[in-house]
Amino acid sequence: DIVMTQSPSSLAVSGGETVTINCKSSQSLLYSGNQKNYLAWNQQKPGQSPKLLIYWASTRQSGVPDRFIGSGSGTDFTLTISSVQAEDLAIYYCQQYYDTPLTFGSGTKLEIK
Amino acid sequence: EVKLLESGGGLVQPGGSLRLSCAASGFTFADFYMTWIRQSPGKAPEWLSFIRNKANSYTTEYNPSVKGRFTISRDDTQNVLYLQMNTLRAEDTAIYYCAKHGSHWYYFDYWGQGVMVTVSS
């Protein structure tokens, strides 16, 4: 199985700050046939189901604010949230879809000071 | 608007069975791959199974953690996804979500609100 390791497990920031969340996979998620990274980011707000933010490592889902930026390739990926807002309070999960079983990271809990 | 509504959850004894349903609307259900995911309290989501569309012969994939006990199926005439769960264990206690795949890729662009399954005597 592909193991997804996220860091940090939690962080607290003030509104307006920039946040960086890291995700590392145990094997490359870059498929040479199409040069795409099979990595998604999901956001789960308290009491809600997860919501897709980003796929192909850097493509924002429709309706997602442009302050959410995905980057990285191969085994190392980053979700950057610029100018954090109170509504961004959530747990963020990376997920690989390169191979089954599809696997998620353990999550990063974002708290707003 | 895409909507996914799970049902069929509840309390079941260890060794028992349960069938979950997911009613889909707002998109052409028959065209898309569909998935079941679960999440135990305070834990990360765990992908369980997906089923491809008719064009891909309704083939299925399972997480080894549930293969042989859980069966995914779909009814494209009713726009419903199912998960038959047998030989349930205490560790199967979780919120169960259905999710729609983004086209024929394996990320999930819409999730349902989830249904709780509790396995306890």
Side-chain angles (χ1 to χ4, degrees):
Chain A
D1 299 5
I2 298 176
V3 177
M4 306 299 291
T5 303
Q6 283 186 239
S7 63
S9 57
S10 66
L11 71 165
V13 300
S14 300
E17 291 187 12
T18 295
V19 164
T20 299
I21 298 170
N22 302 298
C23 176
K24 187 175 183 68
S25 57
S26 60
Q27 66 184 75
S28 177
L29 304 183
L30 176 64
Y31 178 54
S32 58
N34 57 14
Q35 288 300 299
K36 287 182 179 288
N37 287 281
Y38 286 54
L39 188 282
W41 288 97
N42 297 276
Q43 175 195 60
Q44 186 172 30
K45 295 183 177 181
Q48 297 185 16
S49 56
K51 169 190 167 185
L52 178 68
L53 291 178
I54 287 170
Y55 55 100
W56 298 129
S58 61
T59 302
R60 265 187 303 274
Q61 171 69 338
S62 175
V64 173
D66 59 7
R67 65 178 183 276
F68 291 90
I69 300 168
S71 62
S73 185
T75 61
D76 293 281
F77 301 90
T78 298
L79 174 67
T80 301
I81 311 172
S82 58
S83 190
V84 166
Q85 301 184 10
E87 66 199 49
D88 299 333
L89 167 72
I91 301 175
Y92 293 85
Y93 296 100
C94 57
Q95 178 236 327
Q96 66 80 18
Y97 50 101
Y98 186 91
D99 195 11
T100 58
L102 311 178
T103 49
F104 292 83
S106 56
T108 296
K109 185 175 184 179
L110 175 61
E111 297 176 322
I112 313 299
K113 292 177 186 174
Chain B
E1 180 191 5
V2 171
K3 289 187 178 180
L4 300 168
L5 184 62
E6 302 92 340
S7 61
L11 175 64
V12 60
Q13 291 190 338
S17 298
L18 212 55
R19 188 176 83 155
L20 304 182
S21 300
C22 170
S25 61
F27 64 103
T28 305
F29 179 77
D31 289 348
F32 290 90
Y33 297 8
M34 297 294 295
T35 255
W36 285 99
I37 296 161
R38 70 184 177 188
Q39 188 173 30
S40 301
K43 301 292 186 182
E46 177 189 21
W47 168 76
L48 300 177
S49 177
F50 71 73
I51 185 167
R52 296 179 178 88
N53 54 15
K54 182 178 181 180
N56 289 278
S57 305
Y58 296 126
T59 51
T60 58
E61 302 288 342
Y62 291 91
N63 191 316
S65 65
V66 301
K67 192 171 184 179
R69 294 192 301 127
F70 291 9
T71 302
I72 191 171
S73 61
R74 62 190 295 164
D75 182 343
D76 288 351
T77 65
Q78 298 292 322
N79 293 346
V80 180
L81 176 72
Y82 298 102
L83 185 68
Q84 177 67 43
M85 304 186 294
N86 298 330
T87 319
L88 284 163
R89 309 163 180 163
E91 53 265 36
D92 294 318
T93 295
I95 297 173
Y96 285 71
Y97 298 100
C98 67
K100 170 185 169 293
H101 285 228
S103 187
H104 59 285
W105 302 107
Y106 303 159
Y107 61 86
F108 318 116
D109 59 359
Y110 291 93
W111 298 57
Q113 90 291 341
V115 64
M116 186 70 202
V117 171
T118 302
V119 184
S120 175
S121 54

